[in-house]
Each structure stands twice: as C-alpha cells, then as structure tokens.
Amino acid sequence: MAAPGENLRINPDRLWDSLMEMAKIGPGVAGGNNRQTLTDEDGEGRHLFKRWCEAAGLEVAVDRMGTMFARREGTDPDVLPVYVGSHLDTQPTGGKFDGVLGVLGGLEVIRTLDDLGIRTKHPIVVTNWTNEEGTRFAPAMLASGVFAGVHEQDWAYDRKDAKGKRFGDELERIGWKGDEPVGERRMKAFFELHIEQGPILEDEGIDIGVVTHGQGLKWLQVTLTGKESHTGSTPMPKRRNAGLGMARITEMAHEVAMDYQPDAVGAIGHMEVYPNSRNIIAGRTVFTIDIRSPEKEVLDAMDQRIREGIELICEALDIKYEIEQVGHFDPVTFDETCVKAVRDAAERLGYTHRNIVSGAGHDACWINRVAPTAMVFCPCVDGLSHNEAEDISKEWAAAGADVLFHAVVETAEIVP
Ligand code: HGY
Ligand code: MN
Ligand code: MN
C-alpha cells in the first residue's frame, strides 16, 4: 500500500483547540475533568463530538451500548472500514487528554483528509467507546467488551454505580441508547492514540510509543464483614474490625506486587467503610484490589497469593470475606501489521520512537480480539494521569496525531 508522503501532517492548532473546547465540558475542581460515563456532562460531550462529526460530513451511528461511530465514506463501500478512536468519559478527577486525545485525534485525521482532498478506498470510522474508565460502572472498557463478545449486553445494563443506579437506565436517561445491535460491525483494523499515562517516553525524550503489548489486569472487589461496636468500650480482643482487615489486606496486596518487580503492579484505589463513623468499629468494608502484569503467569500467581492472604487475615480477625472478580483481561499482543504501520509512520515522519507495553487498559485491548489493532502513545508530563494535573504539550499531541493519521490512511489506502 502506498504510504502517505512524509509532508502530510495534521493541523496541530485545530486539534489543540478541539481538546480545549471539549475540556470545558464536565470541568474538574483543579483544572482537569470530571465527565464520568452516562452523566449529563458525558451526554453534553457526546453532543459536541456529534456536532463536530456532522460538520465534517460524517454519518454518526450509535449502538445499544451508546458507542458512537462516525463514518467517512471510502471509494469502495464494499470493503471493511478502518476504525480509529478511544473514549470521552473521564475519571472523577481525570485529565483533559486521557481518551479524549484518541477520539479527537481520530476526528483530526478526517479533518486533515478533507483539507487535503484525499479519498481512501476503505471507509474510516471515528469511534467513542462508552464507559472505558469503569470508575462509575465496573468493569473498565465495558462497551468495547460487549462489542468484542466478552460481556453480555444485559449483564452490562445491570451494572450499578455506588448509588445503585443501573447502567442501562442511565444510558436511557441521557438519551444515548442507540438502536444498533452491538458488535455486528466488522473492521479492517482499529487504531487508538492515547497518552502513555507513564513516565517512560518523557524520561527518555522519545516522541512516540509503538505499543506492542498491553499488560493484563484483574480487579478483585472484596467485601469484609466484621461487627460494628463502640470504639471506646469494646475490649481489643473482642473486636471484629473490618477496617483493620482492609488495612492489612492493602499492605499484603502491595507486598505481593513488590515480590514480582519489575513486571507487576498492585494497589487499592476504591475503598468504602461502613458505617464510617468516628466512634464505631467498621462493621463492613468494600474495596477493589487492582493488580496488573504483562505476564499472565505473574497475574495469576498474584491473584492466587492475594486470595490466600485474605483468607489468613480474615481468619485471624474473625471477619467474613467475599471476593468478586469485577474486571479481568489477560495480557494483549497487538497486531504486527498494524504495529508496523505505526512504527513506519513514526520513522517516515522523523519522530523518535520505541516499543512500549501499555500499563493501562484501553478499548484497543478488547477490540484486538475482533480486529487487527494497534496503539500510538505520546508522552505526558511526569507520566501523570488519572489526576487533574495530567498534561501534554501541543507538540506531543501533534506528533501522536500525525503518526495516527499516517497509520490509518496507509491502512485505508489512499486513492490516487
Ligand atoms: O484502568 C485502566 O487501565 C483504564 O484507565 N481504564
Ligand atoms: Mn484511557
Ligand atoms: Mn483512564
């Protein structure tokens, strides 16, 4: 396939302006974003994205999980489209670029093709996957998981947030429940541009991460049940302290991950204490252990050891426990042809690049099961993400979007 000329570049200012415009929707309290999935703010961001897509002449479809597909026709309507996208939903204290760069980078590919008057043989479809973050409704990458056949749609609809609201009801409430069945679309390839969310590229002064693999993940939601009692008058030996159990399990999970360095991570970010009163021993705690590794064997070993550790800790404290696996995907190897298109694009454009394993999960990790898939990383400041201070430079955004443009357009085949 003919590669685009190295002089073909996206419009950095237009991309940056779109990122800053989207960032105004669902602002956080410290300069980032709180545009959680299926909130009114998510709905508003979707409308803005749809307006931009329609202004670019794209036909926007929505499936039953709310995922948005904005299609630019190719010269041959019978061949499979090339998909490009990511997610617009954010963490509660999220940044302006996690996910958004990939969706608006995909739109910038279309806008640049129109500027240059380039037609491609294959259609190109820009995608916004619903609920990538999994912070309001676990698990992460929910809609792309249903699309890839990993989750059933009805199961996804029944996922509940901390206030007991159902995913399906909230999707209906914000008016983004489409009527297109989920997962019937076939793709020639899928590309996702994303910030690295780690420090490697910035530390090494490298412009582009050529993502060859994604590490695997498990989310173990633990519920500990002890006994509420007075923090003052209950003798220490008589306490059944679910809060102490959570503390010991937090320490144990950390130590297990430390035993498998450098290829493992583990932490607990979600913690609920009941009744959460200063002078009541916690009778119940609910928390999620997030463990990850690029090695399946390591991930499974950590899972096993943590479960054994939980049993011992709860026995010693006379508290009951339940463990529910609320998220899981095995390590991912992306498609070599697509990865090569990303690498060749970086090379052609004169950007420094290196192979890299994704520490975070992405919709690409599921879509890789149903279509040849690859990702493009750009650096982010201090490797920081899932923090309102998340930041990138306009140059990094442009480099990532240039590489995305070349990989997508080469795969979609320019029509001379
Ligand atoms: O959890 C993740 O890795 C992603 O940010 N949802
Ligand atoms: Mn993301
Ligand atoms: Mn994220």
Side-chain angles (χ1 to χ4, degrees), residues 65 137-139 142-143 146 151-160 166-168:
M65 283 296 289
F137 299 99
L142 185 58
V146 176
H151 306 306
E152 290 301 319
Q153 181 183 301
D154 289 345
W155 177 81
Y157 274 19
D158 284 339
R159 308 305 292 159
K160 288 196 174 62
R166 267 181 84 248
F167 178 96

Side-chain angles (χ1 to χ4, degrees), residues 86-87 98-99 132-133 194 197 361-362:
S86 189
H87 62 95
D98 173 357
E132 187 281 338
E133 290 294 357
H194 208 287
Q197 300 180 295
H362 303 283

Side-chain angles (χ1 to χ4, degrees), residues 15 23 77 104 173 223:
L15 173 59
L104 300 187
R173 182 186 67 79
T223 301

